[in-house]
Amino acid sequence: MSERFECDHCGACCKGTLLVEADGLDFEREPKIKNCDPYYRDKSLDETRKLLADGMRVILLAAGGIRPCSLLDCENRCTIYPTRPNSCVGMQAGDEQCQSARQSMGLPQLEPVSDASH
């Protein structure tokens, strides 16, 4: 049985320690994400859709060490959680990306949750 981790909402994964990207499918599901990337911010929805259509471009939500995701609120919660991009869905509490992001922010490693607590 693998270890289970519970997110403590440190925000390390969204605060810019990792590169977090979104593609055209993510944009179709949640158009607000275009405003995270200065390149797309002033473009219309149609312009953004056309730029992303070839699959060779992405929207940069968080940029490794440069800027956090602007969709993160003051309590480190995602304001678009139900429609967040697939790259965000793929990040799991306690996984390698999580632990690396926490380390980059000087946070301790996330510890497994014991089954007895649930």
Side-chain angles (χ1 to χ4, degrees):
M1 187 169 150
S2 64
E3 293 179 312
R4 190 173 61 81
F5 296 85
E6 194 168 299
C7 180
D8 66 357
H9 303 285
C10 70
C13 54
C14 305
K15 288 186 173 177
T17 58
L18 304 172
L19 284 174
V20 183
E21 301 172 341
D23 62 19
L25 290 174
D26 295 319
F27 169 71
E28 291 301 326
R29 184 174 58 249
E30 181 52 75
K32 290 178 188 175
I33 64 173
K34 81 175 192 69
N35 296 324
C36 294
D37 190 326
Y39 178 77
Y40 295 99
R41 193 172 293 140
D42 295 327
K43 294 185 179 357
S44 71
L45 294 175
D46 285 337
E47 284 178 287
T48 301
R49 187 172 287 111
K50 286 175 186 171
L51 288 167
L52 295 171
D54 67 5
M56 300 302 291
R57 295 178 190 240
V58 295
I59 295 171
L60 194 56
L61 300 172
I66 299 170
R67 69 170 193 279
C69 178
S70 62
L71 296 168
L72 190 66
D73 72 13
C74 62
E75 294 178 343
N76 294 326
R77 307 242 181 205
C78 179
T79 60
I80 60 161
Y81 189 81
T83 56
R84 69 196 185 280
N86 289 331
S87 62
C88 301
V89 171
M91 289 185 210
Q92 298 296 312
D95 71 6
E96 187 177 334
Q97 288 181 332
C98 168
Q99 302 292 21
S100 175
R102 291 176 68 86
Q103 182 179 12
S104 294
M105 292 190 68
L107 297 171
Q109 296 292 288
L110 198 59
E111 295 295 326
V113 175
S114 76
D115 289 331
S117 68
H118 283 69

